[in-house]
Amino acid sequence: MTNSQKPTFDTFKGLFNETEFVYRHLGSNDAKQADMLSAIGYKDMASFINDTVPEPVRIHRELDLPLAMSEHAALAKLRTMADNITVNKSYIGQGYSPVRMPAVIQRNVLENPGWYTAYTPYQAEIAQGRLEALLNFQQVCIDLTGLELAGASLLDEATAAAEAMAMSKRMSKSKSNQFFVDERIYPQTLDVIHTRAKYFGWEVVVGDFETAKSGDYFGALFQYVGVEGDVKDLTDVISAVKQNKTYTSVVSDIMSLVLLKSPADMGADLALGSTQRFGIPMGFGGPHAAYFAFSDKAKRSAPGRIIGVSKDSQGNTALRMALQTREQHIRREKANSNICTSQVLLANLAGMYAVYHGPSGVKRIATRIHAFATAFADVISTADSDNQLNVVHKQFFDTVVVDCGSEKLATQIFENADNVGYNLWRLSENKLGVSFSEISDEKDFNVLTQLFVNKSHDLPEAASVSLDAEHLRTDDILTHPVFNSHHTEHEMLRYLKSLEDKDLAMNRSMIPLGSCTMKLNATSEMLPITWPEFANVHPFAPRDQVGGYIDMIDSLQEQLKAITGFDDVSMQPNSGASGEYAGLLAIRRYHESLGETDRDVCLIPQSAHGTNPATAMMMGMKVVVVKTDDNGNVDIDDLNAKCEEHSKHLGALMITYPSTHGVFEEGIRKICDLIHKHGGQVYMDGANMNAQVGIMQPADVGADVLHMNLHKTFCIPHGGGGPGMGPIGMQAHLAPFMANHTISPVHNAQKDCSAVSAAPYGSASILPISWMYIAMMGRDGLLKATNLALLNANYVASQLKGHYPVLYTGKNGQVAHECIIDIRPLKEETGISESDIAKRLMDYGFHAPTMSFPVAGTLMIEPTESESVEELDRFINALKSIKAEAMKAKAGEDGWTLEDNPLVNAPHTASMITDSEWTHPYSRDVAAFPLPYVRAHKFWPSVARVDDAYGDKNLMCSCPSIENYM
């Protein structure tokens, strides 16, 4: 054995290699980092960090976190928590039901990085697969609600209901300030509605149908299958309230609509609800995709995303995001909502559930659920005459409410059910609810009948539908070929693969989107989300059954507190936008507790994150914009002037750190002190937190509250545009004002603080991802990740600055974790735009950086710590090559012109390249294989450049006929 072959490990610590995951996560090892440091003029990491991160913000101490754990050790530790979760069979209902996710969908979508590592489809040409899947989802919602249009999903049912309230105000011609809510609504939905309504200044009136008919409201919200499971035809009450110019919304159980008359048939203007029942696990509350369907006339008032059908430059059908695309970043405080993304991965799962089962399959499932409930109600109703039991409602879909006649009997049945592994819903002292689901079986029926009537009954041979004919829908659903073509597993598998192949995700190449932090989502982090203990628990399950879940959440809270320096953390916000809202909500509640209800001015720098102004508006605050200077920093003089002008009413400053301009504010401490001096609070947007961890703490520099994007810094994957989690860290004085929950109280929140999300801990089932990431990286690994994120960004900036101006830098010429390159000089010289570059990058196999945000005519690049120097070099070389192509077109070399060159015609599809009539002055080879590495790993965009204007002028957001794709 030669010396070079001899093992160099001489300790068991080295042999066990507990820090191995850190080096799996980081894209470059120490030697390669040294080369990059040398390339940008530094001898070591310490001197580089000294020049990059301002001394006044640095903490110069180790985080109070354990050292790194190996992947198997972290999984084993999390396994001990999971083992302390009891997964009873849930018959609780209340908006959450057990499901069966088809295995082919679980393996090939939920567990497939080709689907879960993609980003929001801002670049449509390389996102046609998930766009088609979202279009399928929209078609499901359109079919089942009967309405003309549907969005690409919202966060959850409760927040969708709150969005319906806001949309009602935009759409209604009534001058009323009152919003009616059906008393039959789920409590968690009403909780969120109350939160939102207060800061819009609207009065919520909760009542029965007569109250609805007799009042004057700008909007009315009805629950179709009520909180007690009762089914009532809403046609008359909707007709009555609409005569008063009231905009009407209906919250509907998506599975019930397979059987029940549609909301549109009853006259509803808008329909919404959760699609959880279409194959999405309960997950202790989320994530789940809400649906939101409406009439055509409301399309420009709708929140969130709409996927539309357009055409590409070759005249072929092509899909894109329509109307609402990044509207927050354009319209700011005038945006319809602060929701800038959705639950894409979950919407895709729900849509594929409908594709897999088809109309007959979902009808079979919905009918089976109802038939179970009917058979159970029959047993209760025909029990011995001396039995105290009484079925409360005669018309129901899946839920049977039983009045037990006494508190004693109700308690006995409830506790006996728990003892044999079943959770029922305790509605009141005497009433119990039994909600049947897709997974209900004959054994369950035997047990449940035994519990209630002391005798086990078998399912009857005949499956009965007890709903009156007037409640049943008579129209066909899911008639499009996509829902009638993929019912064998082979066909479904191939359909899913065909869509995946149309998309560029992180399993193909880096996605350098600035402010989005597209980093590694490690497999070990993802594994626990499908463990039954984390996936199959109801959010309102008894607390003695979910001790391990609470332990995991508490542990993650402690990790985040150690990282940020805050005194407490709320885990309820289920997106970054929801975190922004929850942060400002805590600030407003704090001011109110001091009697300062008029502190409603929110200062927002031009460099802040794009959703901030919309969030401030939703909190009833007045947005005042603060200028930035030539270096991208907050203009301190302007900030001083605005603070003086609004001192008596100053509520908050919303600031992104490092700024969206990609620089560390030198004066962040002075900025925070200035706001506090004038009685305001500092909200820090955590979008760019990947530049902070281990180097600085937001609480230390003066922030009062911060939202953390777990789907950015802490490795929850973006899922093609969701899910996300946006927990907030708070200083002690704000902690009492975090969101609580009306049904399942959050143990460290005050009783009178209403909710911001439907579930107490938001999208709890994806929290193990972030827990695993922090545990496996450990104290030192997290710091290494931050250092490398900063190094990678500065390496990219240094290599590109000779070709594209880097717009903003710190005082030592460094950027933070992202850099903005300015395309405007190139456009002025050649006519080549940032959009042309974005499309041409697809030919090189890359997703474009963030385009024209935060500055129009620029590209914002964030490489993250997970990308190797080899990948960075490929990306850098692609941008250099594109610059050379632009200059060649300007010079007219080889017959190239500014009107006909690879950039303005990009992206090039395989059909364009193989077209027999190639008329361009550049070769097919240049079009398709612009650099040598591309040939070895070619990604072909499935459509040519999409015509955005055509799509908006001819809005269509339902599935086109199959011939359109041929």
Side-chain angles (χ1 to χ4, degrees), residues 5 15 18 91 270 334 367 424 435 441 564 642 682 774 790 797 853 949:
Q5 294 173 319
L15 290 170
E18 292 296 306
Y91 279 78
L270 190 157
K334 293 183 175 65
T367 305
L424 307 179
S435 293
D441 57 25
T564 62
K642 298 287 172 57
V682 177
I774 296 170
L790 295 171
F853 175 78

Side-chain angles (χ1 to χ4, degrees), residues 312-317 843 907-920 924 927-928 938-945 965-966:
D312 70 4
S313 62
Q314 306 299 298
N316 299 312
T317 297
D843 292 329
H908 296 82
T909 64
S911 62
M912 290 169 67
I913 297 300
T914 56
D915 192 331
S916 59
E917 296 184 11
W918 183 263
T919 59
H920 303 296
R924 301 172 198 261
K938 178 63 181 174
F939 173 78
W940 291 100
S942 57
V943 298
R945 193 173 302 200
Y965 294 104
M966 293 179 177

Side-chain angles (χ1 to χ4, degrees), residues 416-435:
N416 288 345
D418 184 10
N419 290 337
V420 295
Y422 288 75
N423 287 342
L424 307 179
W425 183 239
R426 186 77 179 262
L427 282 79
S428 65
E429 290 181 351
N430 292 1
K431 291 180 181 177
L432 295 176
V434 184
S435 293

Side-chain angles (χ1 to χ4, degrees), residues 39-156:
I40 63 174
Y42 288 94
K43 63 179 181 179
D44 55 39
M45 185 67 78
S47 58
F48 163 69
I49 295 297
N50 284 338
D51 271 2
T52 303
V53 185
E55 177 63 26
V57 308
R58 295 173 62 191
I59 54 175
H60 294 296
R61 65 178 183 275
E62 295 175 333
L63 294 177
D64 185 17
L65 287 172
L67 296 175
M69 301 176 70
S70 66
E71 294 179 58
H72 66 270
L75 284 167
K77 184 172 182 179
L78 193 61
R79 180 73 258 171
T80 64
M81 298 184 201
D83 288 342
N84 194 29
I85 300 170
T86 301
V87 186
N88 273 7
K89 257 202 161 174
S90 181
Y91 279 78
I92 295 172
Q94 299 301 293
Y96 301 91
S97 298
V99 298
R100 287 195 180 96
M101 180 185 292
V104 65
I105 296 175
Q106 176 172 322
R107 174 61 56 89
N108 294 286
V109 180
L110 178 61
E111 297 175 352
N112 182 352
W115 285 88
Y116 67 69
T117 69
Y119 193 63
T120 304
Y122 292 137
Q123 296 294 338
E125 294 83 358
I126 51 176
Q128 290 294 298
R130 84 197 83 124
L131 285 167
E132 183 174 332
L134 287 173
L135 200 69
N136 293 344
F137 172 83
Q138 290 179 176
Q139 186 68 61
V140 172
C141 302
I142 290 168
D143 278 13
L144 293 178
T145 65
L147 289 157
E148 295 167 290
L149 303 177
S153 79
L154 292 176
L155 299 176
D156 59 33

